Amino acid sequence: MKFPAPVTIQWIGQLVNASTIVGDENAQATGINELHKVESGDLVFVDAPKYYDTCLNSAATHIIINTSEVQVPQGKTLIVTENPFEAYLKIVDHFRPFAPADKMINEKAIIGEGTIVMPGVFVGTDVKIGKNCRIFPNVTILDYTEIGDNVVIQSGTVIGGDAFYYNTKKDREVWYRRMQSCGNVVIEDDVEIGCNCTIDRGVTASTVIGKGTKIDNLVHIGHDNTIGKNCLFAAQVGIAGATTIEDGVCLWGQVGVSKTLTIGANTQVLAQSGVPSSLKGDKVYFGYPAEDAQVKRRELVWQKRIPELWEDVKQIKKILDQKA
Amino acid sequence: MKFPAPVTIQWIGQLVNASTIVGDENAQATGINELHKVESGDLVFVDAPKYYDTCLNSAATHIIINTSEVQVPQGKTLIVTENPFEAYLKIVDHFRPFAPADKMINEKAIIGEGTIVMPGVFVGTDVKIGKNCRIFPNVTILDYTEIGDNVVIQSGTVIGGDAFYYNTKKDREVWYRRMQSCGNVVIEDDVEIGCNCTIDRGVTASTVIGKGTKIDNLVHIGHDNTIGKNCLFAAQVGIAGATTIEDGVCLWGQVGVSKTLTIGANTQVLAQSGVPSSLKGDKVYFGYPAEDAQVKRRELVWQKRIPELWEDVKQIKKILDQKA
Amino acid sequence: MKFPAPVTIQWIGQLVNASTIVGDENAQATGINELHKVESGDLVFVDAPKYYDTCLNSAATHIIINTSEVQVPQGKTLIVTENPFEAYLKIVDHFRPFAPADKMINEKAIIGEGTIVMPGVFVGTDVKIGKNCRIFPNVTILDYTEIGDNVVIQSGTVIGGDAFYYNTKKDREVWYRRMQSCGNVVIEDDVEIGCNCTIDRGVTASTVIGKGTKIDNLVHIGHDNTIGKNCLFAAQVGIAGATTIEDGVCLWGQVGVSKTLTIGANTQVLAQSGVPSSLKGDKVYFGYPAEDAQVKRRELVWQKRIPELWEDVKQIKKILDQKA
């Protein structure tokens, strides 16, 4: 998330009740982001010592951290506070406060010419919908979603749900605390989405569905995924978080894709397969873990030959026993 | 889809801006359908030369086609146009124009005696619901759906979503263009459907759920499926398009079924299995690809014996080495 | 289900039109429950001779049964009727009659301070929601649900759907008749539930989601499940009925869990696994059927060695042939 305008580190320090600022108090912060999305000028937060170095040496210019006993790279600033996670929540809450909706269509939503929004549709604050879209009954489009032209969203689908993304501490009574989402969903032109799908918004950045991609029913697309153009996802596909699916990828029914990986362009993954790690493009994959479909099919044939092999070995042992 | 009344080929030719009519201009067309659903008197469309012959020799009487250089069977007519797919869309749009709903219950919907439609339910145009049904809150029932008596539809379910069915051309900027659905969903008496299911309508014909069938939550039933009587589908089952499931079939949780196949009567398919091709009735199946459950279970046992086999072969090789 | 106040067996006998009462007509019934949930003072029903003994010797004090030709344990009563299943339906219908809702928020629902219920949310009769909850647009919360404090329920989720639980008789025209649910859903404090999930109510008792548990999108939790505290269920997980998941269990994406089993505390089940039987706690499981993940991973490696084994055996056979 970028802030509406840059703010000083001093201002941030006061907001989060920082104990110390290390570096230039007058430096400016342009936004706050997660480690893998962070850009120069942005804030990032870290509380686990094992990630200190990665964060200090990331693209982030300003680090919210629970120690001052670290080597600070030149030109960077530390905002030291006992609980960086709480500081993150405070900043998000300031710039994107939770807005309890009280009507189905928010008056700040922008809806383009020729777009039809049918009954029972919820449209949240700061939503933008382009031209000639069809939003079917009982769809939910949550805050900050951006939708292009000629987009179809069928009934029961929810766009912009909060990310399933938690801060975990097993010594608390409640182990998991949600890392509040301040990102959004961006749906490009000519995308069509089926019924009862769920597309979550990015934690701090955007979940993107590329131009011309078509999605069947009951598909789950987690936070911060980047889906390419002209992809085809069959029913009940699920994609975890922060994964990249390149252009022209087909995922058949009930395929599951794990987080933070890449599926190369024009790949096909056959039904019910599971993808635990990145796949190169222009190939057909199958099984769990998903492998080259031809290799996998041969493996299935080999598996059926075990009893024959067993019989052979039994015979061989008999022959050797007789000879002994 | 049947037309409300037969129309002349001449009239169709004008509607789709045909370049030529081959055959009797005064012949009458009774409807338009896909190849596998088409009946005598109907129109069908074809644009790929490899399907010309199949279409010309199908039950269709009238063929919308992008050539006149074909052998026309006697009594049939060609409606020649550069883009048969666009002609299809124009015809569907004429007879079943997209009707943007502006209220939750359409005034043209027919709702039987004793049927309870709870708050938040959307009922589209030309929907018929029989007697003594219970439609729970936030259900969506889209245009042309027909529902029998004593049917229960639980919250969040969407009946009659558009088919996931596309015209594909990879030399266009947008590869996939939806083949607009003009079919519907037919739900027979005593069917019960759980929460957040999706049942898509047929592309040109009907998706049918047979009498007495019971469906759990989050189940996907694709376009043009024919589901028999007294079937039982557990949660998260998914069935692709144009498949036939005969009477008394049980599909357990998370089973996936591929398109255009048949599952015979009284079959059981165990949880998480995948069905890529037709299955004979009166048996129990398991695994991916789904096989006779007993055979499959034995295979799982054999797979655990590979290390033992490996050890045996190692011993045999040692013995043979010593003898050499 | 407990009755609002105890009733006499004589009164129950009249309600269900019993042919005979065996035992004390003035004894009191405190509720009606299924066999595995039944407590002293409760009614239970049985119509299949093979379950007569189990029911007679269960915790139930009063048995609705279709025979009087059984040995009645001391202090128990029989309510004899031709169709015990119909008697069950009659009792449930009397104490929890189906209430057709006519507005989105029932006036008998209790909603705590600081709780935000957004537009398009349905809240049924006798629902209790605690403090500081956020109920997102288009959620459905059905009758008798109890929700604690600080609970988040995201859009499209349905809480309290009827159990997928049927009385089966294949000599009827309609094989399956729903065993009407009279239980509810109980969601403890600090639970968060994603979009388009379905959590069914107990048949006669409660489906419970323990404090601090977090659930992603499109998750199905069947009737009468007991989910522990601080569990984490990723998207598209499905849990059948009457299963117990202990505290701190993680189920990753698309995992399926069968009915009436127990998963021990702090267990992890990796993505797409299937759990057909109980699992001990504090371990990582994988595959179908889910096994110790390390054992399963080794099995996958062994499977790839079959062709090598085949080649070895071929060579050995050749050597033996030459020697013969």
Side-chain angles (χ1 to χ4, degrees):
Chain A
M1 174 185 55
K2 294 297 173 189
F3 302 141
V7 295
T8 64
I9 294 308
Q10 189 187 24
W11 185 91
I12 292 281
Q14 276 165 358
L15 178 70
V16 306
N17 208 7
S19 56
T20 323
I21 304 286
V22 179
D24 179 9
E25 283 213 337
N26 295 315
Q28 302 231 314
T30 50
I32 187 164
N33 265 307
E34 287 181 280
L35 195 52
H36 59 289
K37 296 279 183 180
V38 83
E39 295 171 354
S40 173
D42 284 353
L43 291 154
V44 78
F45 84 87
V46 61
D47 53 11
K50 64 177 169 176
Y51 296 122
Y52 284 171
D53 272 1
T54 317
C55 279
L56 287 162
N57 298 303
S58 73
T61 306
H62 315 292
I63 297 95
I64 305 172
I65 194 167
N66 49 353
T67 181
S68 56
E69 305 293 306
V70 288
Q71 188 91 26
V72 188
Q74 217 194 340
K76 299 208 171 183
T77 55
L78 299 189
I79 297 157
V80 184
T81 171
E82 211 176 323
N83 195 330
F85 175 64
E86 294 295 336
Y88 166 85
L89 292 181
K90 218 170 257 177
I91 293 168
V92 168
D93 198 48
H94 182 86
F95 287 104
R96 295 231 161 144
F98 175 69
D102 57 0
K103 51 176 71 95
M104 289 300 275
I105 310 275
N106 190 289
E107 62 264 32
K108 281 164 73 185
I110 296 169
I111 296 174
E113 205 185 314
T115 285
I116 291 162
V117 176
M118 291 202 244
V121 172
F122 175 86
V123 179
T125 188
D126 291 280
V127 167
K128 288 178 203 155
I129 307 180
K131 294 180 202 158
N132 302 316
C133 297
R134 290 181 183 178
I135 315 295
F136 278 80
N138 288 332
V139 161
T140 304
I141 302 175
L142 293 154
D143 304 359
Y144 303 103
T145 299
E146 294 172 28
I147 297 176
D149 298 339
N150 315 313
V151 168
V152 175
I153 302 177
Q154 291 202 62
S155 293
T157 283
V158 179
I159 310 289
D162 283 336
F164 190 69
Y165 197 73
Y166 289 94
N167 174 282
T168 306
K169 296 240 186 302
K170 296 205 171 172
D171 53 1
R172 280 193 301 238
E173 192 190 347
V174 173
W175 291 4
Y176 304 105
R177 286 194 59 201
R178 186 180 291 271
M179 193 164 147
Q180 193 53 50
S181 300
C182 59
N184 75 340
V185 175
V186 174
I187 296 176
E188 297 181 358
D189 296 348
D190 304 303
V191 167
E192 298 186 14
I193 300 171
C195 303
N196 283 350
C197 294
T198 63
I199 301 184
D200 283 355
R201 59 186 181 141
V203 175
T204 62
S206 297
T207 303
V208 179
I209 314 292
K211 182 178 165 69
T213 283
K214 312 295 185 187
I215 298 175
D216 201 350
N217 299 340
L218 290 167
V219 169
H220 164 72
I221 297 187
H223 67 90
D224 292 291
N225 286 307
T226 302
I227 311 298
K229 301 186 200 313
N230 291 316
C231 292
L232 215 53
F233 299 165
Q236 297 175 320
V237 158
I239 303 173
T243 270
T244 298
I245 312 263
E246 294 182 355
D247 296 351
V249 169
C250 288
L251 305 178
W252 296 113
Q254 301 185 331
V255 161
V257 179
S258 192
K259 63 182 179 174
T260 62
L261 57 83
T262 297
I263 298 187
N266 304 312
T267 292
Q268 277 199 49
V269 184
L270 301 183
Q272 291 196 323
S273 298
V275 183
S277 50
S278 292
L279 297 179
K280 287 201 174 138
D282 295 301
K283 285 179 71 177
V284 181
Y285 296 89
F286 165 48
Y288 185 90
E291 289 178 85
D292 179 301
Q294 287 193 357
V295 170
K296 192 75 197 176
R297 281 210 192 86
R298 275 198 293 267
E299 273 183 42
L300 290 180
V301 173
W302 278 114
Q303 281 174 29
K304 293 192 173 297
R305 291 176 143 184
I306 305 172
E308 194 183 334
L309 209 46
W310 184 269
E311 199 48 45
D312 277 358
V313 168
K314 217 169 97 181
Q315 286 302 324
I316 291 168
K317 290 200 291 193
K318 205 186 273 178
I319 290 169
L320 289 178
D321 275 359
Q322 287 168 347
K323 291 201 174 175
Chain B
M1 173 185 55
K2 295 296 175 192
F3 303 141
V7 294
T8 63
I9 293 307
Q10 189 188 23
W11 185 91
I12 291 282
Q14 278 165 358
L15 178 69
V16 305
N17 209 8
S19 56
T20 324
I21 304 287
V22 180
D24 180 7
E25 284 214 335
N26 296 314
Q28 303 233 310
T30 51
I32 187 164
N33 265 308
E34 287 182 280
L35 195 52
H36 59 288
K37 296 279 184 181
V38 84
E39 295 171 355
S40 174
D42 284 354
L43 291 153
V44 79
F45 83 88
V46 61
D47 53 11
K50 64 176 169 176
Y51 296 123
Y52 283 170
D53 272 2
T54 318
C55 279
L56 287 161
N57 299 303
S58 72
T61 306
H62 316 292
I63 297 96
I64 305 172
I65 193 165
N66 50 352
T67 182
S68 55
E69 305 294 306
V70 290
Q71 187 92 28
V72 188
Q74 218 195 338
K76 299 208 171 182
T77 55
L78 298 190
I79 298 157
V80 184
T81 171
E82 212 176 323
N83 194 331
F85 175 64
E86 293 297 334
Y88 166 85
L89 292 180
K90 218 170 260 176
I91 294 168
V92 167
D93 197 49
H94 181 87
F95 287 104
R96 295 232 162 144
F98 175 70
D102 57 359
K103 48 176 73 96
M104 289 300 275
I105 310 276
N106 190 290
E107 61 264 36
K108 280 164 73 185
I110 296 168
I111 297 175
E113 206 185 312
T115 285
I116 292 162
V117 176
M118 292 203 243
V121 172
F122 175 86
V123 179
T125 189
D126 291 278
V127 168
K128 289 179 202 153
I129 308 180
K131 294 181 202 158
N132 301 316
C133 297
R134 289 180 184 178
I135 314 295
F136 278 81
N138 289 332
V139 161
T140 302
I141 302 175
L142 293 154
D143 304 1
Y144 303 102
T145 300
E146 294 172 29
I147 297 176
D149 298 338
N150 313 314
V151 168
V152 175
I153 303 178
Q154 292 202 59
S155 293
T157 283
V158 179
I159 310 289
D162 282 336
F164 190 68
Y165 198 72
Y166 289 93
N167 174 283
T168 305
K169 296 240 187 301
K170 298 205 173 173
D171 54 0
R172 280 193 302 236
E173 191 191 347
V174 173
W175 292 3
Y176 304 105
R177 285 194 58 203
R178 186 180 292 269
M179 193 164 148
Q180 194 53 51
S181 299
C182 59
N184 75 341
V185 175
V186 174
I187 297 176
E188 296 182 359
D189 296 349
D190 304 304
V191 166
E192 297 185 15
I193 300 171
C195 304
N196 284 350
C197 293
T198 62
I199 302 184
D200 283 355
R201 59 187 181 139
V203 174
T204 62
S206 297
T207 302
V208 179
I209 314 291
K211 182 177 163 71
T213 284
K214 312 296 186 187
I215 297 175
D216 200 352
N217 299 340
L218 291 167
V219 169
H220 164 71
I221 296 187
H223 67 90
D224 293 291
N225 285 308
T226 303
I227 311 297
K229 301 185 200 313
N230 290 316
C231 292
L232 215 54
F233 298 166
Q236 297 175 321
V237 158
I239 303 173
T243 270
T244 299
I245 312 262
E246 294 182 355
D247 296 351
V249 169
C250 288
L251 305 178
W252 296 113
Q254 300 184 333
V255 161
V257 179
S258 193
K259 62 183 178 173
T260 62
L261 56 83
T262 298
I263 298 187
N266 303 312
T267 291
Q268 277 199 49
V269 184
L270 302 184
Q272 291 195 324
S273 298
V275 182
S277 50
S278 292
L279 297 178
K280 288 202 173 135
D282 295 300
K283 286 179 70 176
V284 181
Y285 296 88
F286 164 48
Y288 184 89
E291 289 177 84
D292 179 300
Q294 286 193 0
V295 170
K296 192 76 196 172
R297 282 212 190 86
R298 273 197 295 265
E299 273 183 43
L300 290 180
V301 173
W302 277 114
Q303 282 175 28
K304 293 193 172 298
R305 290 176 143 184
I306 304 172
E308 194 184 336
L309 209 47
W310 185 269
E311 199 48 46
D312 276 359
V313 169
K314 216 168 97 182
Q315 286 302 324
I316 290 168
K317 290 201 291 191
K318 206 186 270 178
I319 291 169
L320 289 178
D321 276 358
Q322 287 168 348
K323 292 200 174 178
Chain C
M1 173 185 57
K2 293 296 174 191
F3 303 141
V7 294
T8 64
I9 293 307
Q10 188 187 26
W11 185 93
I12 292 281
Q14 277 165 358
L15 179 68
V16 305
N17 208 8
S19 56
T20 323
I21 304 286
V22 179
D24 180 7
E25 284 214 337
N26 295 316
Q28 303 232 312
T30 51
I32 187 164
N33 264 309
E34 287 181 281
L35 194 52
H36 59 288
K37 296 280 184 181
V38 82
E39 295 172 354
S40 173
D42 284 354
L43 291 153
V44 79
F45 84 87
V46 61
D47 53 11
K50 65 175 169 177
Y51 296 123
Y52 284 171
D53 272 3
T54 317
C55 279
L56 288 161
N57 298 304
S58 72
T61 306
H62 316 291
I63 298 96
I64 306 172
I65 193 167
N66 49 353
T67 182
S68 56
E69 305 295 304
V70 290
Q71 187 91 29
V72 188
Q74 218 195 338
K76 299 208 171 184
T77 55
L78 298 190
I79 298 157
V80 184
T81 171
E82 213 176 321
N83 194 330
F85 175 64
E86 295 296 335
Y88 166 85
L89 292 180
K90 218 171 258 177
I91 293 168
V92 167
D93 197 49
H94 181 87
F95 286 105
R96 297 231 162 146
F98 175 70
D102 57 359
K103 49 177 74 95
M104 289 299 276
I105 311 276
N106 190 289
E107 62 265 33
K108 280 164 74 185
I110 296 169
I111 296 174
E113 204 185 313
T115 285
I116 292 162
V117 176
M118 291 202 242
V121 172
F122 175 88
V123 179
T125 189
D126 291 280
V127 168
K128 288 179 202 155
I129 307 180
K131 294 180 202 159
N132 302 317
C133 297
R134 289 179 184 181
I135 314 297
F136 278 81
N138 290 332
V139 161
T140 303
I141 302 175
L142 293 153
D143 303 1
Y144 303 103
T145 299
E146 295 173 28
I147 296 176
D149 298 338
N150 315 313
V151 168
V152 175
I153 302 178
Q154 291 201 61
S155 293
T157 284
V158 179
I159 310 288
D162 283 337
F164 191 69
Y165 199 72
Y166 289 92
N167 174 282
T168 306
K169 297 239 186 303
K170 297 204 173 174
D171 54 0
R172 281 192 301 235
E173 192 191 347
V174 174
W175 291 4
Y176 305 105
R177 285 195 58 202
R178 185 180 292 270
M179 193 164 148
Q180 194 53 50
S181 300
C182 59
N184 75 340
V185 175
V186 174
I187 296 176
E188 296 182 359
D189 297 347
D190 304 303
V191 166
E192 298 185 14
I193 300 171
C195 303
N196 284 351
C197 294
T198 62
I199 302 183
D200 284 354
R201 59 187 182 138
V203 174
T204 62
S206 297
T207 303
V208 179
I209 314 291
K211 181 178 163 71
T213 283
K214 313 295 187 189
I215 296 174
D216 201 350
N217 299 341
L218 290 167
V219 169
H220 164 72
I221 297 186
H223 67 90
D224 292 291
N225 286 308
T226 302
I227 311 298
K229 300 185 201 312
N230 291 316
C231 291
L232 214 54
F233 298 165
Q236 297 175 321
V237 159
I239 303 173
T243 270
T244 299
I245 311 263
E246 295 183 354
D247 296 350
V249 169
C250 288
L251 305 179
W252 296 113
Q254 300 185 333
V255 161
V257 179
S258 192
K259 61 182 180 175
T260 62
L261 57 83
T262 298
I263 298 187
N266 305 313
T267 291
Q268 276 199 49
V269 183
L270 301 184
Q272 290 195 326
S273 299
V275 182
S277 50
S278 292
L279 297 179
K280 289 202 172 137
D282 295 301
K283 285 180 71 177
V284 181
Y285 296 88
F286 165 47
Y288 184 90
E291 290 178 84
D292 179 300
Q294 285 193 359
V295 170
K296 192 77 196 171
R297 280 211 193 85
R298 273 197 295 265
E299 272 182 44
L300 290 180
V301 173
W302 278 114
Q303 281 174 30
K304 292 192 173 298
R305 290 176 144 183
I306 305 172
E308 193 183 336
L309 208 47
W310 185 269
E311 200 47 47
D312 277 358
V313 169
K314 217 169 95 182
Q315 285 302 325
I316 290 168
K317 289 201 290 192
K318 205 186 270 178
I319 290 169
L320 289 178
D321 276 358
Q322 286 168 347
K323 292 200 173 174

